[in-house]
Amino acid sequence: MTTNPSLLTPYKNTGAQSSSLRQISEDAFYVVNEVVTKRLGHIPILKGDLHVLPYKVQRFIAEKAELCRPRGIYICDGTHAEAEEIKDKLVERGMLTQLSAYENNYLCRTDPKDVARVESKTWMVTTDKYQTVTHTAEGVEPIMGHWMSPLDFGEELDSRFPGCMAGRTMYVIPFSMGPVGGRLSKIGVQLSDSNYVVLSMRIMTRVSLDVWEALGDNDFVRGIHSVGLPRPVKSAVVNHWPCNPERVIIAHRPAEREIWSFGSGYGGNSLLGKKCFALRIASNIARDEGWLAEHMLIMGVTRPCGREHFIAAAFPSACGKTNLAMLEPTLPGWKVRCVGDDIAWMKFAEDGKLHAINPEAGFFGVAPGTSNKTNPMAVGTFQKNSIFTNVAETSEGRYYWEGLEDEVEGKNVQITDWLGKPWKLGDPTPAAHPNSRFCAPAQQCPIIHPDWESPNGVPIDAIIFGGRRPTGVPLVFETFGWEHGVFTGASLKSETTAAAEHTGKQVMHDPMAMRPFMGYNFGKYLDHWLSLDKPPHQVPKIYHVNWFRKDANGKFLWPGYGDNIRVIDWVIRRLDGEEGIGKDTAIGVVPAPGSLNLEGLGEVNFDELMSVPRDYWQSDAKEVRKFLETQLGSDLPNAIQEQLTSQEKRINAL
Ligand SMILES: Nc1nc2c(ncn2[C@@H]2O[C@H](COP(=O)(O)OP(=O)(O)O)[C@@H](O)[C@H]2O)c(=O)[nH]1
Ligand SMILES: C=C(OP(=O)(O)O)C(=O)O
Ligand SMILES: [Mn+2]
């Protein structure tokens, strides 16, 4: 790994220096052990040897320990034995319950106030506001990226972090995103006072002592996470799950490659390798280094003839990434293998193709709706060594959630819901929280791709965007080219889900499925995408899908899940240049009648599924124009503006 010079950019404060942000000066290099020892004071090292770590890591630990004042420091090694030790302790304390029907599976119930990402409290901290947000029209709040000034952040930090780990252990988690030492991989160190985070990070990322060696003197992404409830605790802790919902903050300092997360233990807020590092921070690194960090699954699809294509697909949270990544084809002779289910880091290689790696090592998937019928490969993945959060539990020691109604065996099975209360079929409240999750090692996936850890990644042939669009949007369409594809991604919308705090089911803009994860100015982000289409790059074709279109009675028009292979089949035939299977519409190329393989499917209203209603798209185009113009203002790239205009013309001509 090479050192990225921008990683070393010192933090330039604009005025009043926040005490917690003060750094040890560079001359500390020669006296580092002394400085470290002094800073640590009487805080003991509970496990591991601090002084064998790279000196930058020592400094980082010492600085933050001095700030957070934990009762001790525990340097994780990522071993099985370590995880066992922590689990045993948590079971004893009642924070984890073993699900006895499986091997090494556990259930965790959180405080019901801490169940999802908190977008309204997630911030990017940059000196210049417009590094983070776009030049929106007057009075318009930017929806992509929340900006906070370094000064304000200093205050927020100072009112939370000093002493925040009192009475708790500060775990030091060394982790690699991507295979350790890989060409596209990056290293992070997360400090956390949550043992649930330690166990989950060990599944989701590569936590091991090898990371220190791969890191050497290079810089790394810094994560500081606290549940925000120092001891002695003054409020009641619910479900043995410490958190501080009123004081939550998830802040990123992209220039410094640093993440500060406070008050929440929920995955998306606390497993800092995931959305915080692999999307918000990494998209900044990617822009500087000429690659992409995207909210995308990666799948390998092999046709009956034996040829394999790789596809990356971006859907907003809880819109079907994990399901598509592990799809079990209903068409005979097809094979899907999973490379990743949530995040793709993609870089053009010497062959001119865009190569993607999955930086993660596990799946943090939505539990409800996952069953042997819908996603048997996910079910196969989490039969052992997994952690379930906020699902229900049966009296037989099994997990339970909405969608498993047909899989509960025996009449006398009793169910305890995610809140710990007795629950039975037909009860008005759900058994599992709608955003309940399984956390499982990717290598256990029965269809994990043999190259899923390849340091060079897999070559991407197609990019698919999609969302939950109950009306108007066809099952699938191919965009007219790279710029139109980027425009289509920028106009992505979807119904809100339980993955964050939004309530109700309104259709919201979610450009590139990145709205909550945008790491810098969205206009610059689009510029970056647009700039990639140049020789010798062979950019992938871009598609849009919608599994969620409904009929007049509110029923899904498309069976979805394993039958989505029929759409993938059409996509791949288009990639191959098969003639006569496309029909031009105003928004892209949809399958021509008879071109989608519907064999063996029941009744499907093809015409309704593929229709591009004029009225719908006219008002949609107006809304999209308003959105792009008011949200992006002067940051709106010309190429996108042109795409908007030509799409409007096509729609008006319908
Ligand atoms: N109707 C329908 N629902 C789906 C489909 N794919 C996924 N879902 C549901 O959407 C929810 C989220 O899916 P998931 O794959 O976990 O989304 P992710 O968060 O983007 O990875 C789950 O409840 C799934 O059962 C599909 O093709 N059709
Ligand atoms: C972890 C998350 O991922 P997903 O996109 O799979 O819902 C989340 O949104 O918190
Ligand atoms: Mn997922």
Side-chain angles (χ1 to χ4, degrees), residues 322 341-342 364-365:
T322 303
D341 82 323
D342 197 45
F364 186 68

Side-chain angles (χ1 to χ4, degrees), residues 327-560:
L327 171 151
E328 195 179 45
T330 56
L331 291 178
W334 285 76
K335 189 161 74 183
V336 164
R337 292 182 293 183
C338 173
V339 177
D341 82 323
D342 197 45
I343 295 168
W345 285 359
M346 305 191 285
K347 189 174 185 172
F348 284 95
E350 269 150 30
D351 61 2
K353 289 202 154 185
L354 188 59
H355 284 244
I357 67 160
N358 167 14
E360 301 190 281
F363 307 127
F364 186 68
V366 178
T370 309
S371 68
N372 276 311
K373 217 162 73 200
T374 58
N375 193 349
M377 295 306 140
V379 175
T381 308
F382 55 62
Q383 293 308 298
K384 57 180 183 186
N385 307 322
S386 302
I387 300 173
F388 299 81
T389 304
N390 289 335
V391 304
E393 179 190 8
T394 75
S395 48
E396 293 178 324
R398 296 182 172 275
Y399 50 71
Y400 181 80
W401 49 72
E402 280 49 46
L404 289 178
E405 294 79 0
D406 298 340
E407 292 181 27
V408 202
E409 289 149 31
K411 287 203 180 76
N412 297 323
V413 176
Q414 261 135 65
I415 294 173
T416 307
D417 73 6
W418 72 283
L419 295 162
K421 303 235 164 63
W423 184 94
K424 55 182 187 334
L425 266 177
D427 278 0
T429 51
H433 187 276
N435 193 38
S436 55
R437 300 269 171 165
F438 57 82
C439 180
Q443 72 196 29
Q444 288 179 193
C445 180
I447 54 158
I448 197 72
H449 198 284
D451 292 339
W452 83 281
E453 297 197 274
S454 156
N456 297 323
V458 295
I460 298 297
D461 297 308
I463 289 175
I464 303 180
F465 291 110
R468 291 177 180 262
R469 299 293 289 272
T471 51
V473 181
L475 177 65
V476 57
F477 60 90
E478 181 182 304
T479 61
F480 296 122
W482 185 252
E483 290 186 356
H484 183 239
V486 175
F487 161 75
T488 302
S491 318
L492 195 70
K493 300 189 216 179
S494 189
E495 248 177 9
T496 48
T497 65
E501 73 269 40
H502 311 285
T503 47
K505 273 196 175 177
Q506 83 257 39
V507 174
M508 269 175 90
H509 280 277
D510 198 338
M512 322 299 258
M514 283 287 279
R515 176 180 39 74
F517 313 115
M518 202 61 78
Y520 61 93
N521 180 308
F522 177 51
K524 301 280 177 292
Y525 167 95
L526 290 176
D527 283 337
H528 180 49
W529 265 77
L530 292 164
S531 75
L532 298 176
D533 186 16
K534 58 171 186 237
H537 295 174
Q538 296 164 40
V539 291
K541 278 199 174 177
I542 299 180
Y543 294 80
H544 187 284
V545 298
N546 176 26
W547 316 139
F548 301 94
R549 196 169 188 174
K550 290 178 175 170
D551 66 13
N553 301 319
K555 270 193 63 188
F556 288 123
L557 282 160
W558 179 248

Side-chain angles (χ1 to χ4, degrees), residues 95 108-111 114 196 237-243 265-266 389:
M95 187 182 181
C108 176
R109 291 190 179 95
T110 72
D111 182 324
D114 190 20
Y196 167 88
V237 175
V238 182
N239 284 340
H240 310 277
W241 178 268
C243 61
Y266 169 77
T389 304

